Amino acid sequence: MRQERAERARYWRNRLLVSVRGRATVITVAVTAVFLTVILVLGMLLVRDWLESRQAAKAERTAERIAFDIVQGRITGTLSTRPGESGMVQIVSADGTQVLAATPQARGKPPFASAGLSSGDLLVDHRSCPRSIPGCAWIFGLRMRTSPWGPGVMVVAAEPLPSLLNVWGLPLTLTVVLLALLSLVTWWTWHTIGRAFAPIDRIRAELGDLDARDLRQRVFVPRTHGEIQALGETVNATLERLEEATDRERRFVSDASHDLRNPIAGLHLQLEMALDEVDEETRPLIASALRDAERLNDIVIDLLELSRLDSRVPQPVEPVDLAETARREVDRRGDGVRITARLEPGVIVRANPVRIARVLGNLLSNAERHAESGVEVTVRRDGATALLQVEDDGHGIAPDQRERVFERFARLTESRERDPQGTGLGLPIAREIAEIYGGSLTIADSERGARFVMRLPLAADGGSGR
């Protein structure tokens, strides 16, 4: 579980910080965050100043109107406000310690501007957050020379400020708005860049699925009239040139192999005739030349088969009884290494019988070359697949060398020592044939020796046990 979490974290770290899409999104979001923060902070300050100015003007108008009415003798005791004016007004004593009169909303509250009054200020105009008022308010006060309550009293109006301007209100609102905008920018950037890179991902996936032996496929070319379309066209042009070069190489190998077969056959016949007529002293030399001609013929046959496999030339396909084919190949072997066959009848696959026989021949030849005393051949069903297993009791193949033996012309040290005349093409040809018919050829673990396992899909009529 811990390893899975570490791999997931590494995947997303690479996705966000290494990939072009991730880096572009991170950079865009970071720049946007700085920009939006500056804009929103400036907007917050402007909104705060505008709201404070509006509330201050309202408090000022209320205080001035009440002071004017007092001077005109219209107010002598009870205070009241008009619609649109501040609802909290107090008449505070000259020393700022007593509330002499107040509107209903301001009654029972301590003086709003006691500090300014005690210091003898003639005008109070500031933002304050007294405990008697929920939140903060704008305080405006005018000192009066004379009034029904005596000289020097101050008319004080308090206008509450909106909750947005509280200590936490505005920053919290700013944070919520910023996170919402950043989330939108993140999604939009990631989505937009992903859509822009979707054709590149498709081209990459199609390139990854290309078969090196079949270069006729082409990648998707998006009609974006830009760099991505040019990339797709360039990839297809490169594939076309590669296909032409590969076709020329295959034609050369095929033509050269065909042209060599007749001279080799003639040379083989002449050497066989010469072997019957020469004296005993010359016979070993002729016999050696005959073996070299046979090896050269085997190489030409293998090259021809590889050329056919690479070009994917269609071959007739028919139901093939894997057990019968294995029995015929085992019977063809001489009196060399003992071969034990365990063959389940009726294991039918759809393939070309000549090619399947070639796979069996190559595997048996390889097993005989490396076996100490015997080879075992097994044919059986394994679920929906047919299984062919060829196992020898030799020294085996190291796990790190098991894929190398399927490389063309690759030969391990033991193989070169046991059969210096080998071509290194038998096992690659066998694997290619197995893969052509939807199967596989691998080397499985074994207590002793090497165990080659070929799997092929069972034919539709091959699973009934006939």
Side-chain angles (χ1 to χ4, degrees), residues 355-430:
R355 283 184 168 175
I356 294 298
R358 185 177 184 86
V359 172
L360 285 162
N362 289 354
L363 293 179
L364 286 172
S365 297
N366 179 77
E368 288 177 328
R369 189 160 50 245
H370 296 279
E372 296 290 342
S373 60
V375 175
E376 184 177 284
V377 180
T378 303
V379 173
R380 61 181 176 85
R381 293 180 187 82
D382 186 14
T385 62
L387 183 142
L388 167 69
Q389 181 175 286
V390 178
E391 185 174 6
D392 63 68
D393 59 355
H395 295 289
I397 302 174
D400 60 340
Q401 298 290 323
R402 289 179 180 176
E403 283 302 312
R404 186 167 178 269
V405 300
F406 293 107
E407 297 176 4
R408 297 181 181 185
F409 301 103
R411 306 194 67 202
L412 303 183
T413 302
E414 182 185 356
S415 179
R416 288 194 295 268
E417 292 175 353
R418 287 179 173 267
D419 183 17
Q421 307 299 320
T423 63
L425 293 175
L427 293 178
I429 288 175

Side-chain angles (χ1 to χ4, degrees), residues 286-303:
I286 300 299
S288 177
L290 182 60
R291 288 194 297 272
D292 288 340
E294 291 174 348
R295 178 171 181 267
L296 184 59
N297 186 61
D298 291 340
I299 293 174
V300 170
I301 292 174
D302 286 343
L303 288 175

